[in-house]
Amino acid sequence: MTCPSCNSDDYEILKTKGKKNKELLVKCNDCEHTYWTPAPEEVHAVKVRVIISEFEKSWKTSVELFSDEYLEVGTLLYIDDKDVEVTSIENSEEKRVFECPVIDIKTIWAKSLDTQARIGLTIDNHGIVLSHKIEVERDFIFAIGDVGEVYGKKFRIYAFKTLERNMRKGYAYAKVIKRIYGRLLPNNDKSKVKYDLSEYVVKTTIKDKEKNKDNYFN
Ligand SMILES: [Zn+2]
C-alpha cells in the first residue's frame, strides 16, 4: 500500500472493518495522512473438488489452487500423478461455465490424458467418407477385420497406418496407430460388433469426394 498523499509505503494499520471484503484504516508514517483502503487480497490455497475420468472409469479427488487465480476449460493440471485436462467447470451457483474464479468453483471435471491415444478413423461408403477423431486407451488393441460401430453405423477395419508403416493384416496398439481405415457395412449385415466407439469420438467430418464439399458437425 502506498500513501495517496505522499506515495510512501511506510504505514501503520489503525483499524479494519468488514469480513469478506476487508477495509483498512491506514496512517502514513511519513506524512501522517490517514485513509481507508481495501485490504490487499490474501492469496491462499483453495481445495477444489475434481472428478477425473479415465477411459471407462472415473473417481473423485481434489486439487489445491491459488485463490486469486481463474480456471478455464482446456487447462492442463497435474493431479494424482496424472496429466489431466479440464473438460468442465461447475460454479458455486451450480452452473457449467467456461471459466471461473478459483474461489467460486464447486466442481472441476477433468479427463486423464495418460491413457489416451488420438487416432483418425476413416470409414468409406462408396465415395462418402466419414472421418472421425477418436480418443481411446493407449493399450486398446485394434485388429484388421474387426467389426466396430460408431453412431449406429457398422464398419469393418481393412487397414491401419501406424507411425512407420501401412498394415493390411494383423493387429496394433492404439498408441502406435495414426489412422484406421474401415468400410461401412450394409444395414442388414449380421456381423457381431466388437466395440462401439461412439463415446470416444472427439470430432467428425463428412467428406463427399464427388462434390468435393465438406460438411462439419460436432
Ligand atoms: Zn503519506
Side-chain angles (χ1 to χ4, degrees):
M1 285 177 290
T2 56
C3 171
S5 171
C6 74
N7 281 331
S8 164
D9 58 5
D10 184 10
Y11 61 85
E12 186 185 341
I13 295 170
L14 302 177
K15 222 190 249 182
T16 65
K17 70 174 182 190
K19 264 188 183 169
K20 209 174 177 188
N21 301 307
K22 264 189 194 169
E23 294 259 321
L24 308 177
L25 181 62
V26 182
K27 184 183 154 205
C28 176
N29 283 336
D30 283 325
C31 73
E32 302 205 331
H33 176 62
T34 61
Y35 55 98
W36 282 100
T37 184
E41 249 178 63
E42 286 170 46
V43 176
H44 56 278
V46 180
K47 203 173 190 181
V48 186
R49 196 164 86 110
V50 186
I51 297 171
I52 297 177
S53 61
E54 187 175 275
F55 205 44
E56 282 164 326
K57 58 181 199 258
S58 65
W59 66 93
K60 276 181 208 168
T61 181
S62 63
V63 63
E64 289 200 340
L65 301 171
F66 287 117
S67 60
D68 63 337
E69 287 291 338
Y70 272 79
L71 185 73
E72 65 177 43
V73 169
T75 302
L76 302 182
L77 297 171
Y78 188 70
I79 306 173
D80 291 357
D81 298 324
K82 289 174 188 297
D83 288 313
V84 304
E85 182 181 343
V86 175
T87 53
S88 187
I89 302 167
E90 186 182 333
N91 68 14
S92 48
E93 292 169 354
E94 303 191 345
K95 283 188 183 137
R96 298 289 181 122
V97 291
F98 180 77
E99 64 161 18
C100 190
V102 164
I103 48 169
D104 289 337
I105 299 174
K106 189 179 175 205
T107 306
I108 297 168
W109 277 268
K111 68 174 177 187
S112 166
L113 300 176
D114 280 11
T115 62
Q116 309 263 324
R118 190 174 268 216
I119 300 175
L121 169 63
T122 295
I123 304 170
D124 199 343
N125 181 29
H126 308 293
I128 305 283
V129 177
L130 286 169
S131 188
H132 304 285
K133 280 264 182 290
I134 58 171
E135 282 184 348
V136 294
E137 193 176 24
R138 288 169 59 79
D139 288 335
F140 196 91
I141 293 173
F142 290 99
I144 307 289
D146 278 356
V147 173
E149 188 177 317
V150 65
Y151 298 139
K153 298 198 184 303
K154 282 160 77 172
F155 62 92
R156 187 186 302 278
I157 296 174
Y158 69 89
F160 301 137
K161 187 165 176 258
T162 69
L163 294 168
E164 72 278 353
R165 64 196 169 118
N166 294 312
M167 295 171 64
R168 289 274 177 177
K169 60 181 180 185
Y171 66 90
Y173 287 101
K175 60 190 167 194
V176 302
I177 297 174
K178 299 302 287 179
R179 184 162 290 277
I180 295 169
Y181 297 90
R183 272 195 197 93
L184 203 66
L185 294 173
N187 288 338
N188 59 359
D189 188 275
K190 295 284 185 289
S191 309
K192 199 171 168 228
V193 173
K194 199 170 168 190
Y195 34 73
D196 186 340
L197 298 172
S198 307
E199 67 176 291
Y200 308 111
V201 172
V202 291
K203 193 186 172 191
T204 296
T205 310
I206 303 170
K207 280 184 186 167
D208 187 329
K209 277 182 186 164
E210 287 165 15
K211 290 180 186 162
N212 198 20
K213 208 185 209 177
D214 293 355
N215 291 306
Y216 295 93
F217 63 87
N218 222 350

